[in-house]
Amino acid sequence: MDDASIERSGPTRAATAIAYMAGFGNQFETEALPGALPLGRNSPQRCAYGLYAEQMSGSPFTAPRNANERSWLYRIRPSVKHFGRFKPMDCGLWRTAPCREVEVVPEQLRWDPVPLPSERVSLIEGMRTLTTAGDAQALAGMAAHVFLATSSMQDEAFVDADGELLFVLQQGGLRFVTEFGVIEAEPGEIVVVPRGVKFRAELIEGPARGYACENYGGKFTLPERGPIGANCLANARDFLTPVASFEDSDRPTSLILKWGGSLYRNQLAWSPLDVVAWHGNYAPYKYDLRRFAPVGALLYDHPDPSIFTVLTSPSETPGTANIDLVIFPERWSVAENTFRPPWYHVNIMSEFMGLIAGVYDAKPHGFVPGGVSLHNCMLPHGPDPESFEQASTSELKPVRMSGSLAFMFETRFPQRVTAYAAGSPQRQSDYVDCWRGLKKAFDPKRR
Ligand SMILES: [Fe+2]
């Protein structure tokens, strides 16, 4: 599959060769060999099959029960055996907050899609950071990346200690072979790999491109629904976590560690993806954005885009997200006597936006699938003259907004642009001019 098809799949879940467990934040349990999971205890004197028991804590031990996340892994070798004498390696274009390598005049920014390179690059080599925000070692903020992959990771595994990784697939499928099992995803889906989880990324059919959010802060969770009630938006049952599967392989493998903003490599004589069984609520998952059930304007006005929040990374301040993942999915537009596109806006939160497929209603030109726009803290944005004119004069009959899927990483922290992003040939130097054509229409004699 190339570009994302934003058609929803059928009313029942399509059969897949990969087995998943449904639900969000469940206490899952899964074993690839019968009896590999100890019964009624976590740490028996001797584990079945000669496995080692290891706890992976995604929250402090003492986190409140609703935020406490950990899994128990039963593995061929404990992780201490996979870690060792790491050697520093080149970070390529991967950057980590705080990163003040370039000063960019504060203005609205936009980039064309980064073309896939002709040379072979893996997901890790093809990671290009556009913005960083907050401070990774203060466990706050994020980085927004574009990734390009023309090659599977060969005899390599990767682990990010700096943050949780949320991948938004835009072109081409990816297989994530993780410690917890295998996830396959296609454009239109997201994959979340928690901090500290080892994985290898493989191409499924051809090259892959997409976006990644590296979340230094609170783990992504489902937003509260408030008066919306118990259903709609992202429903828990549509999140899929892999079943246990392991590699008992003696192929030499490099484990790449990202820690403190740097990359390190450790050479192993085996695969570190060796978890035979696991249980707990700290695990990778995927979600098909096309399953999102939007709730919106039924009579008039344009609600805040927070109604389209898929996942949120909370901060210590209620309602002030470290990051929100917001999408703009297919939906009906029916509001009466309403300016229907997104309104003109000045926002304390910083908005990194990408287009997975189709045409975005506020910007019919210049913002294309694979592209990026950045509307930073307190920098105004809104429809261009063409969409303002069209939306101000069109007949307001029900319109199905079809064929488009956009998303936003919205963070409380201002986003610093990297040197790569500032100097990229894909940066549109004329983006700020897109509002120049807005005319003064004010006439004090006309109501
Ligand atoms: Fe906005």
Side-chain angles (χ1 to χ4, degrees):
M1 182 175 188
D2 283 340
D3 293 329
S5 162
I6 49 82
E7 292 295 311
R8 287 171 60 92
S9 41
T12 54
R13 179 167 291 144
T16 164
I18 307 272
Y20 299 101
M21 300 176 285
F24 190 91
N26 297 14
Q27 295 287 341
F28 293 111
E29 59 178 51
T30 170
E31 57 187 16
L33 291 177
L37 272 178
L39 275 180
R41 62 182 68 229
N42 295 323
S43 191
Q45 186 177 24
R46 278 196 303 277
C47 295
Y49 301 107
L51 297 170
Y52 288 85
E54 175 178 287
Q55 182 176 205
M56 185 182 288
S57 293
S59 65
F61 298 136
T62 46
R65 193 175 272 265
N66 67 354
N68 203 307
E69 293 183 321
R70 63 90 181 88
S71 286
W72 278 93
L73 285 62
Y74 301 91
R75 59 193 317 155
I76 297 171
R77 297 175 177 89
S79 288
V80 286
K81 199 65 182 147
H82 306 318
F83 280 45
R85 299 195 180 277
F86 281 102
K87 293 192 171 64
M89 58 181 281
D90 184 9
C91 278
L93 294 170
W94 198 326
R95 296 291 178 273
T96 302
C99 174
R100 300 182 69 96
E101 58 186 0
V102 67
E103 290 298 326
V104 175
V105 174
E107 63 181 31
Q108 306 87 338
L109 296 169
R110 196 165 65 183
W111 291 265
D112 290 324
V114 183
L116 285 157
S118 50
E119 67 267 26
R120 289 166 62 89
V121 290
S122 71
L123 178 76
I124 303 306
E125 295 161 333
M127 198 70 81
R128 294 153 183 245
T129 308
L130 297 187
T131 73
T132 64
D135 183 344
Q137 296 225 297
L139 304 190
M142 56 162 264
H145 316 282
V146 166
F147 70 79
L148 309 165
T150 57
S151 163
S152 297
M153 290 167 67
Q154 306 276 352
D155 302 323
E156 279 181 348
F158 176 76
V159 56
D160 193 339
D162 288 343
E164 174 181 40
L165 285 167
L166 184 153
F167 297 94
V168 180
L169 278 72
Q170 190 267 322
Q171 179 185 330
L174 283 174
R175 180 183 303 111
F176 292 84
V177 182
T178 81
E179 290 180 282
F180 290 74
V182 179
I183 294 176
E184 285 190 355
E186 63 176 25
E189 293 186 305
I190 59 168
V191 174
V192 175
V193 180
R195 186 193 297 261
V197 171
K198 307 172 193 73
F199 70 95
R200 178 178 69 241
E202 299 173 346
L203 305 184
I204 293 178
E205 278 180 351
R209 181 175 64 192
Y211 309 85
C213 178
E214 190 178 10
N215 171 16
Y216 310 138
K219 196 169 174 297
F220 278 113
T221 188
L222 292 171
E224 298 298 338
R225 287 197 187 88
I228 293 173
N231 302 288
C232 289
L233 311 186
N235 288 306
R237 65 184 288 251
D238 292 320
F239 289 80
L240 300 177
T241 288
V243 297
S245 114
F246 65 97
E247 294 181 343
D248 181 13
S249 159
D250 291 332
R251 274 176 79 94
T253 303
S254 278
L255 178 62
I256 300 171
L257 166 68
K258 182 170 185 285
W259 200 101
S262 299
L263 293 186
Y264 303 89
R265 184 187 293 274
N266 188 35
Q267 191 59 42
L268 305 173
W270 54 80
S271 168
L273 307 176
D274 62 357
V275 176
V276 178
W278 62 269
H279 76 87
N281 62 350
Y282 192 72
Y285 57 88
K286 74 166 185 170
Y287 173 72
D288 187 339
L289 297 173
R290 294 159 292 195
R291 290 182 183 266
F292 188 84
V295 170
L298 296 177
L299 192 59
Y300 65 89
D301 258 356
H302 183 112
D304 294 334
S306 44
I307 52 165
F308 298 137
T309 302
V310 179
L311 291 168
T312 185
S313 157
S315 76
E316 294 76 13
T317 308
T320 302
N322 182 59
I323 311 162
D324 280 332
L325 170 68
V326 178
I327 62 168
F328 301 95
E330 287 199 302
R331 59 201 184 276
W332 280 90
S333 187
V334 299
E336 300 170 355
N337 189 15
T338 294
F339 183 77
R340 289 181 176 176
W343 14 252
Y344 293 100
H345 192 203
V346 179
N347 192 0
I348 189 171
M349 303 282 279
S350 293
E351 306 176 14
F352 176 103
M353 199 164 164
L355 188 60
I356 299 167
V359 177
Y360 181 61
D361 58 331
K363 299 277 170 36
H365 304 294
F367 183 44
V368 298
V372 167
S373 71
L374 177 65
H375 300 137
N376 234 324
C377 176
M378 288 301 170
L379 300 185
H381 49 278
D384 60 22
E386 180 185 352
S387 37
F388 176 80
E389 198 57 34
Q390 203 269 340
S392 304
T393 54
S394 61
E395 185 192 350
L396 292 182
K397 56 189 180 194
V399 174
R400 192 174 195 282
M401 302 172 72
S402 299
S404 178
L405 181 58
F407 75 92
M408 188 158 67
F409 303 145
E410 185 169 1
T411 170
R412 68 183 300 192
F413 298 101
Q415 297 186 44
R416 301 281 314 182
V417 175
T418 60
Y420 162 72
S424 161
Q426 281 76 46
R427 179 177 164 186
Q428 298 176 6
S429 57
D430 58 351
Y431 178 48
V432 291
D433 298 328
C434 78
W435 295 284
R436 275 175 63 176
L438 289 169
K439 295 190 179 63
K440 177 185 174 187
F442 177 64
D443 180 353
K445 301 196 191 75
R446 178 174 63 91
R447 289 191 70 185

